[in-house]
Amino acid sequence: MIVLDLEFNSGWYSVNMEEILQIGAVKIDYPGGPIKSAFNAYIRPSVHKRLSPIARLLPEVQSSMDSPLDFRQAFALFLDWVGDERVCAEWGRNDVRVLFKNACYWGLEAKLPDYCVDLQTAFGRTVDAKNGLPLSRAVEYCGIPDSFVFHDALNDAMYTALVTRYIDEGTLKDCAFALTERDIHPVIPPKQPKKNQTRSGPFDSRKQALSSRSSRRVACPECGTVLCVNEWATQDGTVFYARCSCGGHKFIRRLRMMEAPDGRFWTYTDTISWSSDNVKLLSAAQNYARHTCAPDKPPRRRRR
Ligand SMILES: [Zn+2]
């Protein structure tokens, strides 16, 4: 079993992809087993021009910036090291996906693992924790000495492997998951938003796009009061309008629905004035088709 951890830089420019800055991994024969071998590679980034505030705080970020390895080289070394291992475990269920997404971005072929194990959920269930515990908390809980700095991929992979000793074996099986091809294709939005537009996505369906909180949230252009659209109206299924009022001011929210080449949806929203022409557009749409927004799912917890 490979226990994997990554450090990466999230970006939001032309491609939505977490660019990997470091791959850390260890091999164990079974959960709780001794660490047999370790892999570490710092990767010089080249996709995103700027580091995110989180990436800037990584303890070893300079080693990545100065690394002689680009992703292609590091990934080739990693696959060599992995050999025939077909099972991958990690703290959460994000890093394996990110790894293969990066490989896909660079056009590198690699077989997906047979299955992956979400050790964070497995550990949480073992100790009856409600939410996703940070790795550092689990390490503390298990009484493992935290002599190595966290958020270095190799150290985190090592800590994760050590924590497997404390995880209930039945729980491990329940926390297995598989990656699909769809998980690993980088998400390409159809186009850049215009100056006054807000872009949100990707969404799996039009309904999800219309109901998402990010598509529905709007601030009154006069007083800044934040509102949430409850109903969209449309004539053509592409441009949607919503009547908005903060109490003191009236305006119209406009949403354009775009489908990306991968079949997912993006919304581009802007605000237009309550002028008679715009009100005509709104009324025409309202007379044609109305879409009431389903309640949004609560936001997913992020790992860090
Ligand atoms: Zn207002």
Side-chain angles (χ1 to χ4, degrees):
M1 177 187 273
I2 303 287
V3 181
L4 175 77
D5 192 85
L6 303 176
E7 304 306 329
F8 49 72
N9 178 31
S10 312
W12 190 253
Y13 299 99
S14 56
V15 179
N16 167 23
M17 185 178 75
E18 296 94 339
E19 183 175 19
I20 297 173
L21 301 172
Q22 187 190 5
I23 303 175
V26 298
K27 278 182 192 171
I28 52 178
D29 278 335
Y30 50 92
I35 291 171
K36 293 196 311 179
S37 162
F39 178 88
N40 185 29
Y42 295 105
I43 299 169
R44 194 178 62 249
S46 59
V47 178
H48 303 309
K49 293 197 178 71
R50 282 176 22 187
L51 290 172
S52 71
I54 293 170
R56 238 174 281 153
L57 291 176
L58 293 173
E60 289 297 330
V61 69
Q62 200 53 46
S63 306
S64 300
M65 306 312 278
D66 299 339
S67 175
L69 298 177
D70 60 18
F71 181 79
R72 282 165 191 278
Q73 295 162 320
F75 191 62
L77 292 172
F78 177 71
L79 291 183
D80 263 359
W81 175 80
V82 166
D84 298 328
E85 293 279 353
R86 304 298 315 145
V87 178
C88 192
E90 62 164 306
W91 198 254
R93 47 197 306 165
N94 192 40
D95 286 7
V96 193
R97 182 184 60 82
V98 170
L99 179 67
F100 283 93
K101 210 166 151 179
N102 274 250
C104 182
Y105 177 84
W106 292 108
L108 307 174
E109 297 267 327
K111 235 178 123 184
L112 294 176
D114 290 346
Y115 67 94
C116 310
V117 185
D118 173 357
L119 296 172
Q120 186 183 36
T121 302
F123 184 82
R125 284 191 196 163
T126 305
V127 301
D128 208 15
K130 285 227 167 58
N131 296 314
L133 281 175
L135 180 60
S136 55
R137 288 288 308 282
V139 165
E140 190 190 338
Y141 185 97
C142 298
I144 299 166
D146 55 352
S147 5
F148 303 100
V149 62
F150 285 97
H151 302 311
D152 172 274
L154 178 57
N155 295 350
D156 285 1
M158 232 158 48
Y159 282 130
T160 307
L162 293 175
V163 168
T164 56
R165 221 183 115 192
Y166 301 84
I167 299 176
D168 196 67
E169 221 175 297
T171 316
L172 276 177
K173 285 205 189 86
D174 294 341
C175 297
F177 65 99
L179 280 185
T180 66
E181 284 297 318
R182 184 161 189 181
D183 291 324
I184 65 171
H185 287 290
V187 172
I188 303 162
K191 60 169 196 151
Q192 289 294 313
K194 290 195 195 120
K195 213 176 148 210
N196 295 317
Q197 284 179 334
T198 311
R199 179 175 66 191
S200 321
F203 304 104
D204 286 335
S205 67
R206 287 169 191 273
K207 196 173 162 190
Q208 226 181 65
L210 292 171
S211 291
S212 109
R213 189 165 305 181
S214 51
S215 303
R216 290 162 57 200
R217 253 176 71 95
V218 51
C220 169
E222 298 281 329
C223 67
T225 305
V226 176
L227 312 169
C228 200
V229 168
N230 287 317
E231 185 191 80
W232 296 105
T234 185
Q235 267 190 302
D236 59 5
T238 306
V239 187
F240 294 76
Y241 299 94
R243 177 191 186 282
C244 299
S245 169
C246 64
H249 314 104
K250 277 202 266 185
F251 57 98
I252 296 171
R253 192 68 169 162
R254 178 171 58 185
L255 175 151
R256 289 175 197 280
M257 181 79 70
M258 300 273 186
E259 190 172 352
D262 61 6
R264 285 189 264 187
F265 295 91
W266 296 77
T267 61
Y268 295 73
T269 39
D270 61 358
T271 297
I272 55 176
S273 66
W274 192 262
S275 69
S276 59
D277 282 354
N278 290 342
V279 170
K280 266 183 217 154
L281 290 171
L282 170 71
S283 314
Q286 284 177 332
N287 290 334
Y288 196 81
R290 294 178 186 232
H291 170 92
T292 307
C293 299
D296 202 11
K297 276 188 268 175
R300 267 201 289 170
R301 294 182 72 85
R302 302 221 53 172
R303 194 178 136 203
R304 296 202 173 96

